[in-house]
């Protein structure tokens, strides 16, 4: 009812146009309605091809729904059949616009608000429906066959906020990380304007989730937004070919940020550039100055216990010496005996500390293929075998060099591989 007391009855009008048997591999039956049009009016589609349809409301009508093979896909302005391998039907349902008694004016096109709606089918079988408003803001809703879904809101200024609902089936079927069904997020160096994603999980357990990100690098991190508004880099998050993986709990909100640092002594051509990016962007390492990393400098035992304690979430800023917090943590957890903190770290010592940090798991690998395997200390044999087995230490020219000092770049590389394997 309008505010002037008049009532306007909504009516659906339908007229079917059958385009079957027009001489192509597959045909699509188009249902035209009095309240609007579907274009094209006929569809002859070769097997494996795609066919798009545009749905437009006439003046005085608005689009209520679109049915594909009898199933609702929403009030979309465009629908595309992908990889056609059978016959289909598409039907548009329009209704007369309600007269609210204002001035009797109506908005032509797909909806009274002037929004544009597009639906696409993604390679993974999910569908994304994007509503674009006149001011340029958008809402993209993605639904996956496994029941997971996402809603991504982008303001006219480009600020992105997303909410993800992960299904129980997606968690159960994931071999490693659960893939989130959503368009790839942009990445920025501005933490305040970074895309924010809230993840809802079907379990109270922590789950590894892969958030799609366009052009993620080793320096791209997930930053946890805590309930009190403070933010913390998730040190075990890491970039993949498709996005960023992070271990999250139900209801966690994370920002995706390019947190890479620039160092004059680590050019892009340096073999360990990605590892240095990873270690510094995840706030595990600091540079030796504002502009230098000293990638070839020897790592000390104090440095490695500090790095590992940071990985564990220990606050290393409040201690009598720069390494004391890491030293205490490493002794309490059986990682190190706490001696010779300013002494150089050997490669087999590094392997041993990583192995202990991982819980001293069972070892099935071997190092017999390396020409200097016999030079590995007895106490480091299991650790070296485990790190080789898991691709954390790869050796050089057929050698493990267990007694060599580990450089800062080498430690960064091994630490990155270690976190990705955890």
């Amino acid at each position: 009812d309008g505010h002037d007391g008049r009532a306007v009855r909504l009516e659906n009008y339908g007229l079917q146009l059958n385009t079957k048997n027009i001489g192509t591999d597959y045909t699509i039956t188009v249902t035209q309605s009095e309240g609007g049009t579907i274009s094209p009016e006929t569809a002859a589609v070769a097997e494996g091809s795609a066919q798009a349809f545009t749905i437009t409301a006439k003046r005085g009508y608005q689009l209520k729904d679109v049915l594909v093979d009898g199933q609702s896909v929403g009030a979309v302005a465009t629908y595309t059949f992908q990889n056609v391998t059978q016959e289909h039907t598409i039907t548009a349902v329009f209704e007369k616009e309600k007269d609210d008694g204002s001035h009797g004016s109506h908005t032509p096109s797909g909806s009274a608000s002037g929004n544009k709606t597009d639906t696409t089918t993604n390679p993974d079988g999910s569908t994304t429906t994007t509503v674009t408003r006149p001011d340029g803001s958008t809402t993209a809703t993605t639904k996956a066959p496994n029941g997971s879904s996402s809603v991504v809101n982008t303001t006219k200024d480009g600020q992105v906020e997303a909410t993800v609902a992960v299904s129980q089936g997606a968690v159960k079927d994931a071999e490693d990380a659960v893939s989130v069904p959503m368009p790839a997020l942009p990445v920025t160096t501005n933490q305040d304007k970074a895309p924010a994603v809230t993840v809802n999980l079907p379990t109270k357990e922590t789950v590894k989730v892969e958030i799609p990100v366009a052009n993620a690098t080793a320096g791209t991190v997930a930053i946890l937004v805590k309930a009190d508004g403070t933010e913390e880099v998730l040190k075990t998050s890491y970039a993949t070919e498709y996005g960023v993986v992070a271990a999250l709990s139900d209801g966690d909100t994370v920002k995706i940020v390019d947190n890479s640092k620039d160092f004059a002594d680590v050019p892009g051509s340096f073999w360990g550039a990605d590892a240095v990016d990873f270690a510094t962007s995840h706030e595990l390492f600091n540079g030796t100055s504002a502009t230098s990393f000293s990638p070839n400098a020897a790592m000390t035992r104090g440095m490695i216990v500090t790095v590992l304690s940071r990985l564990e979430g220990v606050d290393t800023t409040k201690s009598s010496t720069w390494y004391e917090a890491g030293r205490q943590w490493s002794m309490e957890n059986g990682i190190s005996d706490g001696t010779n903190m300013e002494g150089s770290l050997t490669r087999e010592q590094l392997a041993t500390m990583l192995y202990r940090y991982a819980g001293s798991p069972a070892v099935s690998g071997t190092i017999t293929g390396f020409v200097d395997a016999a030079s590995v200390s007895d106490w480091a044999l299991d650790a070296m075998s485990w790190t080789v087995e898991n691709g954390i230490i790869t050796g050089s020219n057929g050698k493990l060099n267990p007694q060599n000092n580990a450089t800062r770049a080498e430690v960064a590389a091994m630490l990155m591989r270690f976190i990705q394997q955890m």
Side-chain angles (χ1 to χ4, degrees):
D1 289 339
H3 60 71
D4 61 357
R6 291 180 297 157
V8 178
R9 182 166 57 91
L10 301 180
E11 296 179 303
N12 296 335
Y13 297 83
L15 174 65
Q16 182 169 335
L17 173 65
N18 194 317
T19 64
K20 288 187 177 181
N21 302 321
I22 56 177
T24 59
D25 290 336
Y26 295 103
T27 59
I28 296 177
T29 299
V30 179
T31 302
Q32 298 286 6
S33 299
E34 183 178 333
T37 61
I38 302 177
S39 179
E41 295 183 355
T42 61
V45 186
E47 184 172 8
S49 299
Q51 177 64 55
F53 289 88
T54 300
I55 300 94
T56 305
K58 293 180 181 179
R59 184 179 181 86
Y61 291 82
Q62 62 185 13
L63 179 61
K64 181 179 180 182
D65 199 4
V66 174
L67 306 178
V68 174
D69 297 332
Q71 300 296 315
S72 171
V73 296
V76 297
T78 303
Y79 184 84
T80 302
F81 289 91
Q82 302 282 357
N83 190 28
V84 175
T85 57
Q86 64 183 53
E87 294 186 350
H88 296 283
T89 62
I90 181 168
T91 303
V93 178
F94 301 92
E95 63 183 11
K96 284 185 176 180
E97 290 182 334
K98 186 175 181 179
D99 185 356
D100 63 4
S102 56
H103 297 288
S105 62
H106 303 281
T107 303
S109 77
S111 71
S113 63
N115 297 341
K116 178 183 178 183
T117 305
D118 295 294
T119 297
T120 58
T121 301
N122 305 309
D124 63 357
S126 64
T127 58
T128 300
T129 300
T130 303
V131 177
T132 303
R133 302 174 187 85
D135 65 356
S137 63
T138 62
T139 297
T141 302
T142 301
K143 297 181 179 180
N146 61 17
S148 294
S149 62
S150 68
V151 178
V152 181
N153 291 304
T154 305
T155 68
K156 62 181 180 179
D157 299 321
Q159 185 70 43
V160 178
E161 290 188 358
T163 302
V164 174
V166 176
S167 69
Q168 184 66 53
V171 174
K172 181 180 179 181
D173 295 341
E175 295 182 2
D176 183 26
V178 177
S179 296
V180 172
M182 62 188 294
L185 298 175
V187 68
T188 176
T189 59
N190 187 331
Q191 189 167 327
D192 292 334
K193 295 186 178 298
V197 183
T198 299
V199 179
N200 297 313
L201 299 168
T203 174
K204 297 303 180 183
E205 302 296 325
T206 299
V207 175
K208 284 175 67 176
V209 175
E210 183 176 43
I211 299 171
V213 177
N215 304 315
T217 68
T220 305
V221 299
I223 297 179
L224 180 66
V225 181
K226 299 181 180 180
D228 62 2
T230 59
E231 299 180 354
E232 176 189 357
V233 173
L234 293 180
K235 294 177 173 58
T236 58
S237 61
Y238 60 90
T240 67
E241 180 181 357
Y242 303 105
V244 171
V245 171
L248 302 176
S249 299
D250 180 41
D252 278 351
T253 297
V254 292
K255 290 182 176 181
I256 305 300
V257 179
D258 180 358
N259 204 30
S260 302
K261 317 298 181 185
D262 291 324
F263 298 103
D265 56 357
V266 185
S269 58
F270 178 63
W271 70 266
D274 281 351
V276 172
D277 258 357
F278 180 91
T280 55
S281 67
H282 288 71
E283 299 179 354
L284 298 169
F285 277 41
N286 294 317
T288 52
S289 75
T291 58
S292 300
F293 182 79
S294 304
N296 297 316
M299 188 83 169
T300 68
R301 290 167 57 82
M303 289 178 184
I304 189 59
V305 296
T306 300
V307 166
L308 292 178
S309 63
R310 287 173 182 160
L311 178 61
E312 189 64 14
V314 174
D315 183 355
T316 62
T317 63
K318 300 175 181 178
S319 57
S320 56
T321 61
W322 64 266
Y323 57 72
E324 186 57 29
R327 176 176 177 273
Q328 289 296 327
W329 170 84
S330 67
M331 290 191 296
E332 292 169 2
N333 290 275
I335 307 299
S336 169
D337 61 7
T339 63
N340 195 21
M341 288 290 98
E342 296 188 8
S344 297
L345 175 75
T346 67
R347 287 165 60 84
E348 67 179 5
Q349 287 173 345
L350 171 60
T352 301
M353 290 186 186
L354 293 177
Y355 177 65
R356 291 171 180 169
Y357 183 83
S360 301
V363 177
S364 59
T366 179
I367 57 174
T368 55
F370 294 91
V371 297
D372 58 351
S375 64
V376 176
S377 300
D378 290 344
W379 51 265
L381 277 173
D382 280 351
M384 288 295 282
S385 298
W386 179 81
T387 52
V388 168
E389 175 188 349
N390 286 279
I392 297 166
I393 290 180
T394 59
S396 176
N397 297 319
K399 294 183 178 181
L400 289 171
N401 301 313
Q403 311 300 329
N404 287 12
N405 291 337
T407 67
R408 285 167 54 84
E410 288 174 341
V411 175
M414 295 176 197
L415 190 65
M416 179 174 69
R417 297 171 193 150
F418 173 74
I419 288 174
Q420 291 171 345
Q421 291 292 336
M422 282 177 62

